[in-house]
Amino acid sequence: MNIVVAMKQIPDLHQIRMRDRQPVLDDVPLTLGNIDKNALEAAVHLRDTHGGKVIALSAGSEELEDTIKEALAAGADEAFMILDDSLDNADSSVIAAVLAATIRKINDVDIILFGEGSGDNYSGQVGSRVAGILGLPQVGYASSMEVQGNSAIVTRSLEDGEEILEVELPVVIAVMADINEPRIPSVSQILKAGRKPQEVLELDDLAIEILEEPVVTESNLAPETPRKQVVVKSVDELIAVLRTEGVIGR
Amino acid sequence: MAGILIYSDKENLALELLTAARIIGQELNLEVKAVTINNDALATALAGAGADVYGVNNDNVIPADVGAVASTLEQAAAKLDTKIVLLASDRRGKELAGRLAQNMGAGCLTDVTDIHINDDRIKCQRNALGGATVATQYITTDKQVIAVRPRTFAAAAGGEGKISLFNIEARPTKIKLLEVKTRSSEVVDIEETEVLVVVGQGLNSEGNLAEVEKLAKALGGEVACSKPVATDKKWLAEERIIGLSGKKCKPELAIILGISGQVQFTVGIRDAKVIVSVNTDENAPINRMADYILPADLHEVIEEMNKALG
Ligand SMILES: Cc1cc2nc3c(=O)[nH]c(=O)nc-3n(C[C@H](O)[C@H](O)[C@H](O)COP(=O)(O)OP(=O)(O)OC[C@H]3O[C@@H](n4cnc5c(N)ncnc54)[C@H](O)[C@@H]3O)c2cc1C
């Protein structure tokens, strides 16, 4: 069974600082999206149960060759990368076109896994778009999954309940963060990661049509939330200030 | 006349979209149309709010099959001449958005928290960088799919619309629905509550929740939590999560206990009027967005507050 896991290279969100409400992204290290790591863990688990291969797939800037090692260390057997500096901030439609075209080049793909949203934009479009391009059935917000014969049994978790679905392979599945706890690779796994097969493609290798800047970002600023930040010393003092504010004891 | 199409499988969200679509429609001179799928009650509700409803009845289209729903809406958008489609950004709507946009060749924005029209563009706000920033974005393509967060607009009410039946092509679904489990919802709505007592991983044990609930009650509020308290520890229901993947709340008062303040959390509470943070770590990031900071053990604070207020 071949499982492709689509992973996004993003800036480490914990290390982004704001200057004049603008995010400062220079020198922020790159990493893979958090929920993408859950998707990878789910793939590794399926492979360990059913055999086959886990292929990490990612489109991004040149630094990806380094970033992708996180996935190879955490259990992926090989990686496919599409490298182009324009891909780091590209629209979901562009990334979906690139990923779908690459998946078509990989033989016998049974399951294509995504995280429910990327760590940075959390827009959740790419998985659905890839399913649309490839004409495959999809299940999002998966909180558990298993494979039985030629089908996947997937639980989709919704706000008001769950639905358990049986879907014939191949299928696109987007997992939720709580589906599992991603492993932390050991030192020897990290050392071995660099020797695993890596296929690098460029945009020219893929015959794709893409929308011309379908979404324009006018501004992207930290919201202004001026807060008093008054330190109080006791519960009594706290209750007193909250009474003065008129938010308790009304 | 060209139009704008709305769709959600949930009545309250569909009515909110109706309000949004009317605002956009008025500015851009577009006729508002609504689609329902195998849901006569929803069609009636929308028509009762004045919508022009196109009801699809086709057993091949089930909500669980996102591809089939997307194809239905794609056909409807083409036949009804609606280049703009508004969806709800709940989980179903968000999953649908990307696929529908792909089918239509549309640009797409999801999780939209505000919309205004400017230079004939539909300017949308959404959180970016994990919630650290708010981006203003607009779609440049002719066709647009926009998924709007629940409660961004008030539900439309009153009016006299009409329902027409509408046919689409659909093949039998390949997705088999084995089982549906409804979550035993406690019917709590933390978005509607004026006071929230919000607990995080600083809480020692599930057993301490009783005291937290007591405090919330004494303040006339509800208990809410950070994500790990619900998803990892499973101490509280997921409907009480605040943040990027939970709810966005605007209470008068939020008392935040033992939460570090990662942006994915703070994005859900930053519109509160007064924020209190109780944290043993004086330098916890949450304190930077608090009005009142009490550097102390939350368990002791809860006990004392209950005594003082009880
Ligand atoms: C895509 C994505 C979406 C996410 N969505 C959400 C979301 O919607 N909501 C959400 O909450 N999180 C979300 N997260 C997770 C988020 O990044 C944080 O991991 C989470 O908010 C941390 O929860 P916490 O603050 O309760 O726990 P911690 O970060 O572990 O913080 C615990 C805090 O408690 C304090 N503390 C410990 N003991 C005591 C004590 N005795 N008394 C007082 N204080 C004490 C500590 O000093 C610390 O500050 C998301 C993450 C990702 C990647």
Side-chain angles (χ1 to χ4, degrees):
Chain A
M1 194 167 58
N2 287 335
I3 308 163
V4 168
V5 186
M7 306 183 80
K8 182 177 181 184
Q9 170 178 255
I10 60 166
D12 184 343
L13 299 177
H14 296 294
Q15 303 197 39
I16 297 177
R17 295 281 163 269
M18 296 292 161
R19 193 178 303 140
D20 297 332
R21 296 177 65 204
Q22 301 269 9
V24 181
L25 295 174
D26 305 341
D27 300 327
V28 173
L30 295 164
T31 179
L32 294 171
N34 260 10
I35 314 180
D36 301 353
K37 292 177 188 166
N38 295 103
L40 176 63
E41 182 66 35
V44 169
H45 184 78
L46 285 176
R47 176 204 61 203
D48 291 349
T49 318
H50 300 277
K53 243 181 0 196
V54 173
I55 301 153
L57 168 65
S58 188
S61 62
E62 307 271 322
E63 287 93 334
L64 187 55
E65 283 193 88
D66 214 28
T67 315
I68 201 72
K69 292 196 181 112
E70 285 183 48
L72 293 167
D77 299 295
E78 51 186 273
F80 271 77
M81 285 170 278
I82 309 90
L83 299 185
D84 194 290
D85 281 341
S86 72
L87 290 173
D88 250 7
N89 284 307
D91 185 68
S92 302
S93 60
V94 176
I95 299 297
V98 167
L99 297 184
T102 310
I103 291 167
R104 286 204 172 107
K105 289 182 181 279
I106 305 173
N107 289 330
D108 302 323
V109 174
D110 298 292
I111 300 181
I112 304 162
L113 286 178
F114 289 82
E116 65 173 279
S118 61
D120 53 352
N121 271 329
Y122 196 61
S123 157
Q125 286 184 45
V126 178
S128 291
R129 282 185 178 271
V130 165
I133 297 170
L134 299 175
L136 294 178
Q138 67 179 85
V139 184
Y141 302 100
S143 58
S144 74
M145 66 176 146
E146 54 181 286
V147 170
Q148 285 179 9
N150 196 35
S151 300
I153 312 287
V154 190
T155 302
R156 179 194 269 135
S157 172
L158 297 166
E159 288 88 350
D160 51 0
E162 294 183 333
E163 52 192 20
I164 302 171
L165 306 163
E166 182 179 334
V167 196
E168 226 173 88
L169 305 180
V171 60
V172 172
I173 298 173
V175 308
M176 304 223 304
D178 51 352
I179 192 171
N180 56 37
E181 193 63 49
R183 71 195 60 196
I184 313 249
S186 68
V187 174
S188 77
Q189 282 167 326
I190 292 169
L191 291 175
K192 276 188 211 140
R195 293 200 293 273
K196 289 186 173 176
Q198 299 175 33
E199 187 99 23
V200 173
L201 303 173
E202 286 166 24
L203 281 180
D204 286 346
D205 300 330
L206 307 166
I208 48 167
E209 271 182 53
I210 48 182
L211 298 172
E212 201 63 49
E213 204 184 12
V215 172
V216 169
T217 301
E218 236 178 25
S219 69
N220 187 22
L221 297 173
E224 271 180 319
T225 45
R227 292 285 170 186
K228 298 195 180 88
Q229 301 190 37
V230 172
V231 177
V232 293
K233 294 192 179 52
S234 68
V235 167
D236 288 342
E237 193 184 337
L238 178 63
I239 290 176
V241 292
L242 294 181
R243 285 224 161 92
T244 315
E245 289 269 4
V247 288
I248 65 169
R250 285 181 302 173
Chain B
M1 184 164 115
I4 175 166
L5 190 70
I6 62 163
Y7 173 78
S8 167
D9 60 327
K10 297 185 189 68
E11 184 176 319
N12 55 336
L13 303 186
L15 291 170
E16 291 173 17
L17 295 179
L18 186 54
T19 304
R22 282 180 175 150
I23 294 170
I24 298 170
Q26 200 153 34
E27 298 259 359
L28 301 182
N29 198 21
L30 299 169
E31 221 163 51
V32 179
K33 297 169 187 183
V35 167
T36 62
I37 302 174
N38 301 328
N39 194 337
D40 294 343
L42 177 57
T44 310
L46 280 163
D52 192 1
V53 186
Y54 294 82
V56 173
N57 285 309
N58 187 320
D59 289 341
N60 287 338
V61 184
I62 58 169
D65 187 346
V66 174
V69 177
S71 156
T72 301
L73 294 176
E74 175 197 359
Q75 294 174 54
K79 282 194 215 163
L80 298 171
D81 190 22
T82 53
K83 294 196 171 69
I84 300 169
V85 182
L86 295 191
L87 303 172
S89 208
D90 62 336
R91 288 187 188 164
R92 279 232 196 272
K94 210 172 152 183
E95 191 179 349
L96 177 60
R99 187 138 190 172
L100 176 61
Q102 190 61 44
N103 286 3
M104 290 174 60
C108 176
L109 289 168
T110 59
D111 278 341
V112 168
T113 54
D114 199 11
I115 290 179
H116 59 272
I117 312 288
N118 199 321
D119 303 333
D120 281 348
R121 301 264 190 209
I122 305 174
K123 305 271 170 90
C124 301
Q125 289 202 341
R126 63 183 313 277
N127 291 309
L129 289 174
T133 55
V134 177
T136 302
Q137 300 180 299
Y138 61 88
I139 301 172
T140 60
T141 45
D142 201 22
K143 295 180 178 170
Q144 313 190 12
V145 173
I146 299 172
V148 185
R149 286 273 291 202
R151 286 166 190 280
T152 302
F153 293 88
E160 223 168 287
K162 60 175 199 296
I163 305 175
S164 331
L165 291 184
F166 191 75
N167 283 323
I168 52 96
E169 303 281 323
R171 269 173 290 170
T173 179
K174 284 187 177 156
I175 294 189
K176 202 149 93 193
L177 184 57
L178 301 179
E179 198 184 333
V180 177
K181 295 185 194 164
T182 34
R183 205 162 275 143
S184 54
S185 86
E186 304 165 47
V187 226
V188 13
D189 199 344
I190 59 168
E191 284 161 322
E192 286 289 297
T193 317
E194 299 276 288
V195 177
L196 287 173
V197 177
V198 196
V199 287
Q201 298 208 92
L203 191 72
N204 277 340
S205 75
E206 193 173 3
N208 293 115
L209 273 178
E211 283 291 305
V212 180
E213 274 153 21
K214 196 168 151 194
L215 176 60
K217 218 168 182 181
L219 295 168
E222 282 288 346
V223 177
C225 61
S226 66
K227 191 166 174 233
V229 172
T231 56
D232 301 351
K233 306 204 144 116
K234 305 207 183 298
W235 291 348
L236 286 166
E238 282 181 33
E239 62 193 345
R240 292 182 193 262
I241 298 174
I242 284 179
L244 189 64
S245 40
K247 305 226 162 117
K248 272 196 95 174
C249 301
K250 301 178 187 169
E252 288 287 298
L253 171 64
I255 300 188
I256 298 178
L257 304 158
I259 288 180
S260 56
Q262 305 304 316
V263 292
Q264 295 94 353
F265 169 80
T266 56
V267 48
I269 200 71
R270 65 183 169 214
D271 294 331
K273 186 168 160 250
V274 176
I275 295 180
V276 173
S277 165
V278 178
N279 201 305
T280 39
D281 175 6
E282 250 177 272
N283 298 316
I286 188 74
N287 291 353
R288 286 201 292 275
M289 62 170 300
D291 296 295
Y292 299 104
I293 300 160
L294 180 52
D297 182 289
L298 72 94
H299 307 87
E300 289 166 18
V301 170
I302 294 175
E303 208 187 307
E304 279 186 53
M305 284 191 86
N306 276 334
K307 255 189 219 145
L309 298 167

